[in-house]
Amino acid sequence: MAAASSNKSFCFYENYLAKKDGIINNDEYYHHLFDHFTGKIHEDNIENCTGKDKRLNRTDLLADLVQGMVKNMEHVEDATPFELVFKAYHTGTLEDVIAQHDILDGKYVRYIRQLLATQALLDRRADVLHFCLGRGDFDYEYNFTYEADLVTVDEHPKTFAVLERSEFRELHPRSDPPWVAFDVGGDFPVDW
């Protein structure tokens, strides 16, 4: 469990570290993350707050996605509805997630659905991923496609099945990760 809440406002990477280190919990993580949708700028970290913090691509794919979205979407007055969708994701059922999703303002729903699909893919949560892919109307970023290609039928059969039966897979056929070419049976096998 997370330690006591902090009153500090965290920017993207600091938010990731605070969550990883147990300084903040899931709800606080999403609050700090989605607060950027209101136009929040951390003056003490302005370059990584308003630019492209490349550390996120390797550490926190959700924050990386939010950072890109902030530049393309109209700011919201209150990010609480986004937070409530993710609260339902972590504590409720699929029906709770759908209920929170469906009350969002239409001009923001595709963004939250893309974030929700990404989180569900990372967590291998097939029910939410199926819902998001079924509703569609969001972009599939490179990181999403790459992560989807890492899902295997042996380790996560439900998530694998959702991906393989989706329109996403029609648009982005499965490709093996680069290292497969060097494994036994690959195009360039290496005797490790």
Side-chain angles (χ1 to χ4, degrees), residues 11-21 29-30 33 48 52-67 118-119 122-123 143 146-147:
C11 198
F12 296 107
Y13 189 69
E14 291 72 23
N15 193 40
Y16 157 75
L17 291 176
K19 172 76 170 65
K20 179 178 157 284
D21 294 342
Y29 166 82
Y30 290 118
L33 186 61
N48 288 325
K52 175 69 175 152
D53 190 339
K54 293 180 181 177
R55 298 172 295 185
L56 298 174
N57 194 353
R58 296 182 310 275
T59 57
D60 190 341
L61 296 183
L62 203 64
D64 188 54
L65 192 54
V66 169
Q67 190 176 47
T118 300
Q119 187 67 59
L122 291 169
D123 294 341
N143 287 332
Y146 181 82
E147 187 68 29

Side-chain angles (χ1 to χ4, degrees), residues 46-94:
I46 198 156
E47 183 178 318
N48 288 325
C49 190
T50 60
K52 175 69 175 152
D53 190 339
K54 293 180 181 177
R55 298 172 295 185
L56 298 174
N57 194 353
R58 296 182 310 275
T59 57
D60 190 341
L61 296 183
L62 203 64
D64 188 54
L65 192 54
V66 169
Q67 190 176 47
M69 288 177 170
V70 166
K71 297 171 188 159
N72 298 320
M73 68 179 259
E74 182 181 321
H75 291 153
V76 299
E77 286 186 37
D78 180 17
T80 303
F82 290 6
E83 295 173 38
L84 292 174
V85 171
F86 276 81
K87 184 173 189 68
Y89 173 85
H90 283 287
T91 62
T93 65
L94 174 62

Side-chain angles (χ1 to χ4, degrees), residues 20-141:
K20 179 178 157 284
D21 294 342
I23 296 169
I24 60 174
N25 63 30
N26 276 338
D27 292 343
E28 293 165 315
Y29 166 82
Y30 290 118
H31 173 74
H32 294 297
L33 186 61
F34 297 149
D35 201 25
H36 289 90
F37 286 138
T38 66
K40 174 79 173 181
I41 295 176
H42 297 88
E43 296 294 336
D44 61 333
N45 190 16
I46 198 156
E47 183 178 318
N48 288 325
C49 190
T50 60
K52 175 69 175 152
D53 190 339
K54 293 180 181 177
R55 298 172 295 185
L56 298 174
N57 194 353
R58 296 182 310 275
T59 57
D60 190 341
L61 296 183
L62 203 64
D64 188 54
L65 192 54
V66 169
Q67 190 176 47
M69 288 177 170
V70 166
K71 297 171 188 159
N72 298 320
M73 68 179 259
E74 182 181 321
H75 291 153
V76 299
E77 286 186 37
D78 180 17
T80 303
F82 290 6
E83 295 173 38
L84 292 174
V85 171
F86 276 81
K87 184 173 189 68
Y89 173 85
H90 283 287
T91 62
T93 65
L94 174 62
E95 290 73 25
D96 297 328
V97 173
I98 293 170
Q100 288 299 323
H101 168 277
D102 287 350
I103 60 175
L104 288 172
D105 185 317
K107 65 183 171 183
Y108 301 113
V109 75
R110 68 185 304 255
Y111 295 106
I112 199 69
R113 193 164 39 246
Q114 184 177 9
L115 291 166
L116 198 55
T118 300
Q119 187 67 59
L121 178 60
L122 291 169
D123 294 341
R124 307 302 194 248
R125 185 160 172 198
D127 61 339
V128 175
L129 183 61
H130 182 261
F131 162 73
C132 293
L133 293 177
R135 294 267 182 112
D137 190 33
F138 61 89
D139 297 325
Y140 302 114
E141 302 286 332

